[in-house]
Amino acid sequence: MQHIADHRLSALFVLDFGLFDVGPGKRQIGIPGFLARTDGGANLLIDTGFDPLYATDPAAAAARDGLAGFGRLIGHSAARTLPGQLALLGLTPADIHGCILTHGHIDHAGGLPLLSCPLWLGGAEAALPAPIWWNGRSPWAWPAALRLQPVTTQMQLCHGLTLIPTPGHTPGHLSVLAELPDQPPLILTADAINRASEPDEGFPDAEDPVEAARSAARLFALRDAMGARLIYGHDPAQWPGLPKAPQPTGLQA
């Protein structure tokens, strides 16, 4: 396979890693990931969902992570884990050539131990011994099979796929610009803007709300300049209408 930098983005799929009840009862949010496919045959993963333990022993997983005080996964199953979602596309974790981690929270980093590939992530988070995870605790350090690739400035991973540092929600947060052939661009904000209402709310979920507002302003400016569509990190209204794997996205942009 030629170097990924020489590839061009050819397809993008939304992965459905489940539904989470924040609150309880405050709001129900989807847990997204993405699979980017290139014309050179590379499969690039963006985020990995919850630890598969939440599908097999949710009580043990929630107790380990201290998650119960924040919310719970609804009707979670093996179909909503990383292997289950990749299977919809005829893939396994072994077929992933690289992973982009928008940030190391529990709902984004849970599938990392299943991978053996380069991992692009924000430099501030790559410098930590483990993913940020949740509640000040992480069940494991960065898996040895992952080759950490710190991202500190905007970079083009391949033609049509650009990584954009958007700190605020976490210090090393990344968003992704996806430019598909013959489609308007998509900006995968992740939790830099996790719902459409978050800017008006003052970014209450961010570690640094002031920095989060700056990052969001840059994404809005990019959207306006490129005529792009934003796909938010966890917007309750947007999530049901997004086409999910195995149907490609981009067609709805």
Side-chain angles (χ1 to χ4, degrees), residues 11 91 109:
L91 302 173

Side-chain angles (χ1 to χ4, degrees), residues 209-223:
V210 173
E211 190 65 38
R214 293 193 191 103
S215 290
R218 291 195 295 272
L219 293 180
F220 287 134
L222 183 63
R223 174 200 63 186

Side-chain angles (χ1 to χ4, degrees), residues 15-100:
L15 305 180
D16 181 354
F17 291 131
L19 196 63
F20 190 83
D21 183 18
V22 181
K26 186 176 180 181
R27 61 182 178 273
Q28 291 186 358
I29 60 173
I31 308 299
F34 301 87
L35 191 285
R37 185 165 288 160
T38 75
D39 60 357
N43 297 305
L44 303 175
L45 183 65
I46 303 170
D47 288 339
T48 68
F50 274 89
D51 184 338
L53 184 63
Y54 278 89
T56 57
D57 195 343
R64 178 196 68 187
D65 296 329
L67 191 63
F70 181 65
R72 63 183 181 87
L73 280 159
I74 301 170
H76 203 53
S77 68
R80 300 291 183 237
T81 65
L82 178 59
Q85 286 296 292
L86 291 179
L88 296 174
L89 300 170
L91 302 173
T92 72
D95 297 315
I96 299 301
H97 299 97
C99 180
I100 300 158

Side-chain angles (χ1 to χ4, degrees), residues 8-11 160 178-186 227 249-253:
R8 183 172 298 278
L9 179 66
S10 59
E179 298 175 89
L180 290 157
D182 302 318
Q183 298 289 337
L186 295 169
T249 192
L251 301 176
Q252 307 297 316

Side-chain angles (χ1 to χ4, degrees), residues 29 49-50 56 65 120 127 140 149 161 168 184 195 207 226 237:
I29 60 173
F50 274 89
T56 57
D65 296 329
W120 288 272
W140 32 261
Q149 310 290 316
L161 203 62
R195 56 191 180 276
E207 289 189 31
M226 299 188 70

